[in-house]
Amino acid sequence: MRLTTKGRYAVTAMTDLALHQHDNGGRPVSLSDIAERQSIPAAYLGRLFASLRSHGLVESWRGPGGGYRLARSAGDISIADMIEAVDERTDNTRCRGQVNCQDNHKCLTHVLWSDLSQRIQDVLSDICLSDVVSDAQVREVAERQDAMAKNRGGAATVQWRRPC
Amino acid sequence: MRLTTKGRYAVTAMTDLALHQHDNGGRPVSLSDIAERQSIPAAYLGRLFASLRSHGLVESWRGPGGGYRLARSAGDISIADMIEAVDERTDNTRCRGQVNCQDNHKCLTHVLWSDLSQRIQDVLSDICLSDVVSDAQVREVAERQDAMAKNRGGAATVQWRRPC
DNA sequence: GGATTTGTTGACCAAAATAGTAAGGTATAG
DNA sequence: CTATACCTTACTATTTTGGTCAACAAATCC
């Protein structure tokens, strides 16, 4: 599990999604809105959302008025879930999961690292999206971002469609 | 703080050093011995040790019989210390420590990430080299590695010299 | 003093991963 | 039919990583 820009984008975008999920009567939140609010390249973010979707973290709707919504409750999505979804595991141990990496036994690195990465995984699994969303600092930034956003269009009509 | 091969090498090599510090009457442990035992390219490891040294984690002696020893007690060197020493911080937030990364304020990513990386830092700061060395699995691998090593030369004479 | 050993430093390099772009395709609303 | 918005693939540029090499400096041994 590595902390990289890709994972950061994913967490940021998911946080934005969680924060705006109930705007406009709960209609899906569009990619371009998220990208603009969070200053993330839209085309790049689109690919990240494809991963988030294939990992079952979000649902998507196509066509006008389409966009994304969380597929599970925010309390049920951990930071680890989001990072894992976009950060396709490029094996961390160089041992390719094998146990006979040196002299037909485990190498020292192997022993050290599996424990260490598990601990980090645990930390990230222990924080969920709802924790993030309810954080005071996060709310403060979000409110400023909303204030910044142009008021585009009036209240939308509530609609329900089946996700893709 | 990122978990990469470089940091893994550092932790592995430091662990090896700690384990063999009292061999041969406490004379410095040579780079080539560590590299061979842990299957790490010697030239590469040499550069990592240069970083470890400049960060005050090891002391070095040149010339025949030279090598490295821990500069502090193993209980006083954390995993975070070792990784930080070799993994020259390539700023994790893209905001370059600035606080006005979006709209003249903190961006959401900034808020999220500084907290998250702090938590990981805490985990890695909480484990020290002596914890690693006393781990049962680690000792087991180390003993096998020692058994593997050729018996080169008899007991060396004890010597004391000032580090570089 | 000279050869040898061992760490130190800098320049350099190749391969991989990352971050990002572009373009064509599919589904849906109106 | 057209505009919207997600979906997918292919491509590219840049950065980082992991690694090598050679020259150099210090210490020891003879």
Side-chain angles (χ1 to χ4, degrees), chain B residues 71-83:
Chain B
R72 310 202 293 254
S73 100
D76 215 34
I77 299 176
S78 72
I79 302 280
D81 289 337
M82 298 183 262
I83 293 179

Side-chain angles (χ1 to χ4, degrees), chain B residues 2 4-6 9 41 43-44 47 62-64 90 161:
Chain B
R2 328 188 344 183
T4 170
T5 300
K6 205 184 293 186
Y9 280 170
Y44 192 46
R47 299 212 333 223
R62 303 214 240 201
T90 139
R161 288 188 280 155

Side-chain angles (χ1 to χ4, degrees), chain A residues 22-97:
Chain A
H22 302 298
D23 294 0
N24 296 325
R27 69 161 41 179
V29 183
S30 85
L31 190 62
S32 53
D33 284 355
I34 300 177
E36 191 191 355
R37 271 193 297 262
Q38 304 307 331
S39 308
I40 299 173
Y44 192 45
L45 189 57
R47 298 206 337 217
L48 300 188
F49 264 106
S51 298
L52 293 168
R53 175 172 174 268
S54 74
H55 281 76
L57 302 187
V58 299
E59 288 175 326
S60 68
W61 283 263
R62 301 214 242 199
Y68 299 92
R69 298 184 58 190
L70 298 181
R72 309 203 292 255
S73 99
D76 217 33
I77 299 175
S78 72
I79 302 280
D81 289 336
M82 299 183 260
I83 293 180
E84 235 163 54
V86 297
D87 228 54
E88 58 273 0
R89 168 90 70 262
T90 140
D91 183 24
N92 218 3
T93 58
R94 213 67 145 189
C95 306
R96 303 263 138 214

Side-chain angles (χ1 to χ4, degrees), chain A residues 3 8 12 37-39 92 102-103 105-106 108-109 112-113 116 120 123 127 132 137 144-145, chain B residues 3 8 12 37-39 92 102-103 105-106 108-109 112-113 120 123 127 132 137 144-145 148:
Chain A
L3 299 190
R8 240 165 38 224
T12 304
R37 271 193 297 262
Q38 304 307 331
S39 308
N92 218 3
Q102 189 185 38
D103 314 330
H105 292 79
K106 280 189 196 173
L108 188 52
T109 299
L112 291 174
W113 232 242
L116 219 51
I120 290 184
V123 171
I127 310 172
V132 173
Q137 273 196 294
R144 185 173 49 67
Q145 288 177 338
Chain B
L3 298 190
R8 244 168 31 228
T12 304
R37 271 192 299 262
Q38 304 306 332
S39 307
N92 219 3
Q102 189 184 36
D103 313 330
H105 293 79
K106 281 190 194 173
L108 187 52
T109 300
L112 291 174
W113 232 242
I120 292 185
V123 171
I127 311 171
V132 174
Q137 272 196 293
R144 187 174 47 68
Q145 288 178 337
M148 241 26 197

